[in-house]
Amino acid sequence: MDILLDPSGDLCISENGDIKLGDSVAQKIRIRLLWFEGEWRWDVEEGMPWFDGLLVKNPDTDHFESVVRERIFEVEEVTEVKEVSVTYDRKTRDAVIRYTALTDFETIREEVKIRCLITE
């Protein structure tokens, strides 16, 4: 069981004001993809290599898509990753990941947005 989050990352609250619990594979994938490498102090190797792999001047998006595919497949319930695409905006260095993943019980089609505001 996990605490459920809405797509913006806020807690899901019931009508009674209680925190909602659930077991969302899509949420597990979203958290794994939004986690920047080095962000977790107990395992700095955990997370996505955003700053080294995609948010650079000339990223290798094909390689990065394979990294995304591997991270999604690391989620225990995922049995297959069908599609992964990464769209990258060179000007803002924002990215959108679209994927399709299969579990024994569902097909998950999601979009994860990475926003990295660049200030001058």
Side-chain angles (χ1 to χ4, degrees):
M1 272 301 157
D2 288 324
I3 295 172
L4 290 179
L5 304 175
D6 68 18
S8 70
D10 288 336
L11 296 174
C12 288
I13 306 294
S14 72
E15 292 177 11
N16 299 335
D18 296 325
I19 294 173
K20 291 184 179 181
L21 300 177
D23 191 23
S24 170
V25 177
Q27 177 173 301
K28 290 177 185 179
I29 294 169
R30 185 178 329 110
I31 289 170
R32 188 170 294 269
L33 295 178
L34 289 172
W35 203 346
F36 280 68
E37 186 175 62
E39 183 177 19
W40 194 38
R41 66 178 169 189
W42 290 283
D43 187 353
V44 294
E45 293 180 12
E46 190 63 50
M48 293 292 294
W50 289 108
F51 292 118
D52 296 334
L54 189 69
L55 303 174
V56 295
K57 188 171 185 176
N58 293 308
D60 181 351
T61 53
D62 290 336
H63 171 72
F64 199 78
E65 285 177 2
S66 70
V67 172
V68 169
R69 183 178 299 277
E70 289 173 21
R71 294 299 166 142
I72 293 171
F73 197 68
E74 288 173 0
V75 174
E76 185 176 329
E77 296 87 348
V78 174
T79 57
E80 186 177 353
V81 181
K82 296 292 265 183
E83 297 174 23
V84 171
S85 70
V86 177
T87 305
Y88 173 70
D89 184 328
R90 292 183 190 278
K91 183 176 180 184
T92 63
R93 293 194 179 169
D94 290 343
V96 177
I97 298 171
R98 291 179 184 84
Y99 70 88
T100 303
L102 305 178
T103 72
D104 288 338
F105 305 104
E106 65 181 325
T107 298
I108 302 166
R109 288 181 182 84
E110 290 284 327
E111 180 177 282
V112 177
K113 295 179 182 179
I114 306 299
R115 297 208 33 123
C116 293
L117 299 175
I118 298 174
T119 58
E120 296 181 44

